[in-house]
């Protein structure tokens, strides 16, 4: 069973496999094109399963692949039981699941059930008539009229992609609700028949085929406040106002998610929910408490949203942030599970954000790019919780070149926000929005994966065919980094193995932030326990220290930080490429190291998990 067998034998028997697992998100349109049509596909993904297995991946998360008109890259589903033809077929999913299971790996799918496409049969029937049996499966409301008889939407809510959350349907003379694009109408979770259809057609259908669980999109938006009243005016220059309080963490949300859990439980399926607009740990814990029986884990976005403006009109007005803020937010979401029965996730990239090395690191030169990408890897692989990597993160993929103009942005959100800025006529807003998109836009993460160094980077055979333009950057590819011990890829392989070998410290250990206000270096102590040969618990402590600048930085007193004698300190790993000792009192540019207080040669023989 490979890595899964290892995970299930860890100290603290009864831990589910997914806690110590490494998940890897695949954005299938951009991962690997097997038939040279310029669009990634499931056979392409299947051809790279061995690569992911060798990297140390335990579970593949496949972003949306269901039938869709692709108004929002598959997050607008028109049929949950069909695969979008350019990706392949249902049989390809079966083959992928079998291949992963044969290697001791698992597969989860992206489940989008807050909304469907307007082309879904449910919506087509719902909009056919006010008397349709499925009319109440979506959220329909009559217009409001002002004193001059002009028609207005039911509320003043602003959508995530700009504009109103309501679209007028001429046929039935009512508005329907959509938090995202007009082509993505929201399902009405208040309707029990609708919920049952969601559970049967989207969840059980795939679980019966062997899928191991789901990443659940927009998981806390299913329960809306049903008064449908106007939001407070916070943007006096817009007719539409941010209103997440009207649809996030609504009055019945925990009831609905417990129902989801009851669907998943018979299959032992894992669930990870996308939990937005919930920055308080007290609001997150009810979703992930084991005794609550709701979700196994969630993505909370405080860290990955750093640099964003407000979530709505000013989202792409970039806001620089100090290292101390990144440190504090990381600490917050590391420590919130301590002393509870909840669990957390670790991630700094996904399909909805710019690349980590372009946001948190320094891609200004090849040397600083490599150093900072490795230090980001060290940061991520030493944190407690379930680790999620995004495709290309392991080779240090960067944002699209700044020389590319706005026409290369394809994402519906980027296009909408830039069009809104242009319509304002405000030159400063236009400039700032364009700058922010260059750092934060979702398109950056969706560039084709770089397999080799040819002009098509091994993704497809013809760049002119590719659905997104392919940047020409030397050295950022699997081919160029494989076997190079100084590369980002090989460093990820080593640190993922280290994370598994010492999972009691890094995955399950506590987190103590040191030197909180230091804006150059970042240090924290991880502490866990293993079972010694005599059956007693043995403490293991590790110090992670990282230089987040392009200049040399002093190294803290390592033995003092670990609380042990100097001769008891061991260097576990460094990003620097040479085995610096304790007498080397400085960290080089973007260097990270991990020290521990135990004998590395003896550590594995003392631990039950190996």
């Amino acid at each position: 069973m490979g890595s899964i067998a290892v995970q299930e034998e860890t100290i603290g028997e009864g831990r589910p496999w997914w806690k110590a697992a490494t998940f890897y998100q695949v954005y299938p349109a951009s991962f690997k094109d097997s038939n040279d049509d310029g669009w990634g596909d499931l056979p392409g993904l299947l051809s790279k399963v061995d690569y992911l297995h060798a990297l140390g991946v335990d579970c593949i998360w496949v972003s949306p692949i269901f039938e869709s008109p692709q108004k929002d890259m598959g997050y607008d589903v028109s049929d949950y039981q069909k695969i979008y033809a350019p990706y392949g077929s249902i049989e390809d999913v079966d083959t992928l699941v079998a291949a992963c299971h044969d290697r001791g790996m698992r597969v989860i799918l992206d489940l989008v059930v807050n909304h469907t496409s307007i082309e879904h049969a449910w919506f087509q029937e719902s909009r056919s008539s006010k008397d349709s049996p499925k009319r109440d499966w979506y959220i329909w409301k009559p217009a409001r009229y002002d004193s001059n008889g002009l028609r207005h939407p039911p509320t003043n809510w602003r959508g995530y992609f700009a504009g109103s959350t309501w679209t007028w349907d001429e046929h039935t003379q009512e508005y329907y609700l959509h938090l995202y694009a007009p082509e993505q109408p929201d399902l009405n979770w208040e309707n029990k028949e609708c919920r049952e259809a969601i559970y049967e057609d989207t969840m059980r259908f795939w679980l019966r085929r062997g899928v191991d669980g789901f990443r659940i999109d927009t998981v806390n938006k299913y329960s809306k406040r049903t008064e449908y009243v106007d939001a407070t005016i916070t943007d006096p220059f817009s007719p539409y106002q941010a209103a997440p309080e009207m649809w996030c963490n609504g009055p019945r949300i925990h009831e609905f998610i417990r129902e989801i859990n009851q669907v998943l439980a018979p299959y032992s399926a894992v669930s990870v929910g996308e939990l937005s607009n919930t920055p308080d740990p007290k609001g997150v814990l009810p979703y992930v408490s084991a005794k609550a029986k709701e979700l196994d884990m969630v993505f909370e976005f405080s860290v990955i949203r750093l640099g964003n403006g407000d979530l709505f009109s000013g989202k792409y007005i970039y806001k620089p942030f100090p290292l101390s803020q990144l440190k504090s937010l990381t600490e917050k979401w590391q420590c919130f599970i301590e002393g509870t029965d909840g669990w957390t996730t670790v991630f700094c990239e996904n399909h909805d954000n710019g690349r980590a090395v372009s946001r948190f690191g320094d891609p200004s030169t090849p040397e600083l790019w490599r150093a900072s990408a490795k230090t980001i890897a060290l940061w991520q692989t030493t944190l407690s919780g379930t680790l999620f990597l995004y495709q290309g993160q392991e080779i240090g993929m960067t944002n699209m070149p700044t020389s590319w103009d706005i026409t290369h942005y394809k994402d519906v959100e980027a296009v909408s926000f830039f069009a809104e800025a242009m319509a304002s006529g405000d030159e400063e807003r236009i400039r700032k929005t364009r700058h922010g998109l260059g750092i934060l836009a979702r398109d950056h993460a969706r560039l084709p994966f770089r397999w080799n160094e040819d002009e098509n980077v091994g993704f497809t055979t013809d760049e002119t065919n590719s659905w997104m333009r392919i940047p020409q950057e030397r050295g950022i590819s699997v081919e160029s980094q494989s076997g190079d011990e100084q590369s980002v890829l090989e460093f990820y392989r080593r640190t993922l193995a280290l994370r598994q070998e010492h999972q009691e410290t890094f995955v399950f250990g506590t987190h103590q932030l040191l030197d909180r206000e230091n804006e150059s270096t970042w240090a924290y102590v991880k502490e866990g326990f293993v079972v010694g040969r005599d059956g007693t618990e043995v403490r293991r402590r590790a110090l992670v220290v990282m230089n987040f600048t392009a200049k040399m930085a002093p190294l803290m007193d390592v033995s003092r930080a670990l609380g042990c004698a100097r001769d008891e300190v061991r260097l576990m790993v460094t990003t620097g490429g040479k085995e610096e000792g304790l007498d080397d009192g400085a960290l080089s540019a973007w260097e990270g190291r991990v020290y521990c207080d135990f004998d590395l040669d003896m550590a594995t023989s003392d631990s039950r998990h190996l």
Side-chain angles (χ1 to χ4, degrees):
M1 291 294 290
S3 60
I4 291 174
V6 171
Q7 291 164 10
E8 291 177 343
E9 293 172 4
T10 59
I11 180 175
E13 295 175 5
R15 282 181 183 154
W17 65 270
W18 42 266
K19 285 195 171 182
T22 295
F23 286 65
Y24 185 99
Q25 182 187 0
V26 168
Y27 198 73
S30 299
F31 192 62
K32 176 62 180 174
D33 173 19
S34 72
N35 59 2
D36 301 326
D37 65 354
W39 189 268
D41 47 48
L42 288 166
L45 169 55
L46 184 63
S47 73
K48 298 300 183 181
V49 168
D50 283 334
Y51 161 77
L52 297 176
H53 186 246
L55 178 62
V57 171
D58 301 296
C59 183
I60 299 173
W61 154 22
V62 186
S63 290
I65 51 175
F66 304 135
E67 185 69 72
S68 167
Q70 301 297 323
K71 295 295 184 181
D72 185 18
M73 289 303 294
Y75 285 91
D76 50 319
V77 180
S78 56
D79 192 328
Y80 292 100
Q81 297 183 4
K82 291 182 180 179
I83 301 300
Y84 181 55
Y87 287 136
S89 65
I90 285 183
E91 289 72 27
D92 289 327
V93 178
D94 294 341
T95 302
L96 175 65
V97 170
C100 288
H101 287 179
D102 286 346
R103 291 161 176 79
M105 301 166 66
R106 292 175 166 92
V107 177
I108 66 171
L109 300 182
D110 213 313
L111 188 67
V112 187
V113 289
N114 175 71
H115 47 265
T116 67
S117 165
I118 57 173
E119 296 183 17
H120 196 289
W122 295 347
F123 187 72
Q124 292 294 306
E125 185 171 344
S126 181
R127 80 187 311 180
S128 66
S129 166
K130 288 183 180 179
D131 298 323
S132 166
K134 288 188 172 59
R135 183 65 172 183
D136 195 41
W137 285 33
Y138 293 83
I139 299 169
W140 296 91
K141 298 293 176 185
R144 295 189 297 185
Y145 292 89
D146 62 23
S147 58
N148 295 318
L150 295 176
R151 188 185 72 226
H152 296 279
T155 70
N156 66 348
W157 301 352
R158 175 193 168 93
Y160 284 97
F161 296 160
S164 174
T165 59
W166 300 94
T167 288
W168 178 251
D169 180 63
E170 193 66 33
H171 177 64
T172 57
Q173 296 287 293
E174 283 193 327
Y175 285 90
Y176 64 86
L177 179 72
H178 52 88
L179 300 185
Y180 296 91
E183 296 85 1
Q184 295 168 287
D186 277 43
L187 287 158
N188 181 16
W189 278 69
E190 297 288 327
N191 184 300
K192 182 174 177 58
E193 186 181 28
C194 177
R195 296 201 307 275
E196 288 299 329
I198 291 169
Y199 303 150
E200 182 64 23
D201 289 9
T202 73
M203 299 179 192
R204 293 191 187 97
F205 178 84
W206 289 103
L207 292 170
R208 291 186 190 112
R209 301 191 79 93
V211 167
D212 298 293
F214 302 101
R215 177 267 189 184
I216 307 178
D217 187 61
T218 60
V219 77
N220 59 333
K221 297 177 182 174
Y222 306 155
S223 175
K224 278 77 171 176
R225 284 178 52 182
T226 56
E227 309 96 310
Y228 294 99
V229 296
D230 279 347
T232 302
I233 295 175
T234 54
D235 182 357
F237 302 104
S238 173
Y240 308 118
Q241 304 299 313
E245 70 279 3
M246 300 295 182
W247 59 70
C248 282
N249 309 310
R252 298 184 67 188
I253 191 62
H254 293 289
E255 173 192 346
F256 296 157
I257 295 180
R258 283 192 293 272
E259 287 185 0
I260 292 174
N261 179 273
Q262 291 167 10
V263 174
L264 303 184
Y267 301 90
S268 300
V270 63
S271 60
V272 53
E274 181 189 33
L275 196 77
S276 62
N277 300 305
T278 313
D280 188 339
K282 292 179 181 178
V284 174
L285 190 58
Y287 288 97
V288 296
S289 166
K291 65 182 178 184
K293 297 186 183 303
E294 293 191 15
L295 299 167
D296 293 321
M297 47 191 163
V298 298
F299 296 127
E300 196 286 326
F301 294 107
S302 294
V303 169
I304 206 169
R305 295 284 193 228
L306 273 175
N308 284 111
D310 71 74
L311 190 56
F312 292 88
S313 60
K315 179 176 181 180
Y316 288 109
I317 306 298
Y318 182 70
K319 293 183 178 180
F321 55 89
L323 178 62
S324 57
Q325 188 177 4
L326 179 59
K327 290 157 68 168
S328 293
L329 285 172
T330 299
E331 176 196 35
K332 175 181 178 179
W333 295 106
Q334 283 286 283
C335 295
F336 97 100
I337 59 170
E338 293 178 9
T340 77
D341 65 347
W343 194 239
T344 194
T345 53
V346 180
F347 67 104
C348 66
E349 285 198 26
N350 64 19
H351 62 295
D352 280 340
N353 293 274
R355 288 290 185 173
V357 72
S358 296
R359 298 179 59 206
F360 306 117
D362 186 347
S364 61
T365 70
E367 294 74 23
L368 293 176
W369 157 77
R370 182 182 299 107
S372 61
K374 289 162 71 173
T375 292
I376 289 169
L378 194 68
W379 164 42
Q380 292 291 285
T381 56
T382 57
L383 294 178
S384 298
T386 300
L387 177 62
F388 286 78
L389 301 179
Y390 180 72
Q391 66 179 46
Q393 182 177 338
E394 76 276 18
I395 56 173
M397 283 185 65
T398 58
N399 284 354
M400 65 175 69
T402 56
S403 59
W404 289 11
D405 63 42
I406 195 68
T407 62
H408 291 100
Y409 289 78
K410 293 178 175 290
D411 173 51
V412 60
E413 183 176 70
V415 171
S416 296
F417 272 76
F418 190 71
E420 185 179 50
M422 290 292 291
S424 74
D426 183 337
E427 292 297 327
E428 182 71 359
R429 180 179 176 185
I430 295 169
R431 183 189 66 78
K432 287 184 175 180
T433 300
R434 178 65 183 88
H435 172 71
L437 287 170
I439 301 169
L440 304 166
R442 308 197 302 183
D443 291 275
H444 299 300
R446 303 176 184 191
L447 297 175
F449 189 96
R450 305 181 63 82
W451 293 104
N452 62 36
E453 293 289 292
D454 71 24
E455 63 180 357
N456 303 311
V457 300
F459 167 68
T460 191
T461 58
D462 182 359
E463 181 184 1
T464 61
N465 236 9
S466 177
W467 80 280
M468 285 198 78
R469 183 179 177 183
I470 299 173
Q472 301 300 311
E473 296 175 286
R474 308 299 294 178
I476 306 181
S477 71
V478 172
E479 177 187 61
S480 65
Q481 295 184 27
S482 293
D484 177 0
E485 289 302 308
Q486 303 308 312
S487 71
V488 179
L489 175 60
E490 295 300 341
F491 188 76
Y492 264 101
R493 285 176 174 156
R494 290 196 302 276
T495 53
L496 287 172
L498 187 76
R499 178 179 175 82
Q500 283 300 308
E501 184 177 356
H502 301 287
Q503 59 183 250
E504 296 305 322
T505 302
F506 296 123
V507 178
F508 299 104
T510 58
H511 182 101
Q512 180 189 0
L513 178 63
L514 307 177
D515 200 8
R516 180 184 305 274
E517 303 304 322
N518 191 314
E519 300 294 355
S520 299
T521 59
W522 186 353
Y524 49 86
V525 172
K526 298 299 302 295
E527 180 176 295
F529 292 85
V530 297
V531 176
R533 292 172 176 172
D534 61 357
T536 61
E537 285 192 331
V538 179
R539 186 181 74 172
R540 301 283 191 228
R541 286 167 61 88
L543 170 68
V544 182
V545 57
M546 301 169 289
N547 179 6
F548 264 64
T549 74
K551 299 179 180 179
M552 297 281 286
L555 178 65
M556 63 175 23
D557 187 330
V558 174
S559 60
R560 181 177 180 182
L562 284 172
C564 65
R566 284 175 61 85
D567 61 3
E568 294 177 323
V569 175
R570 302 289 184 271
L571 178 66
M572 298 184 82
V573 64
T574 174
T575 64
K578 59 184 185 297
E579 298 297 310
E580 293 94 340
L582 281 177
D583 293 329
D584 180 9
L587 297 167
S588 56
W590 285 102
E591 183 186 359
R593 302 180 196 172
V594 181
Y595 294 94
C596 65
D597 65 353
F598 52 88
D599 191 329
L600 290 168
D601 293 331
M602 297 296 294
T604 56
S605 63
D606 286 345
S607 177
R608 184 188 298 174
H609 69 263
L610 290 174

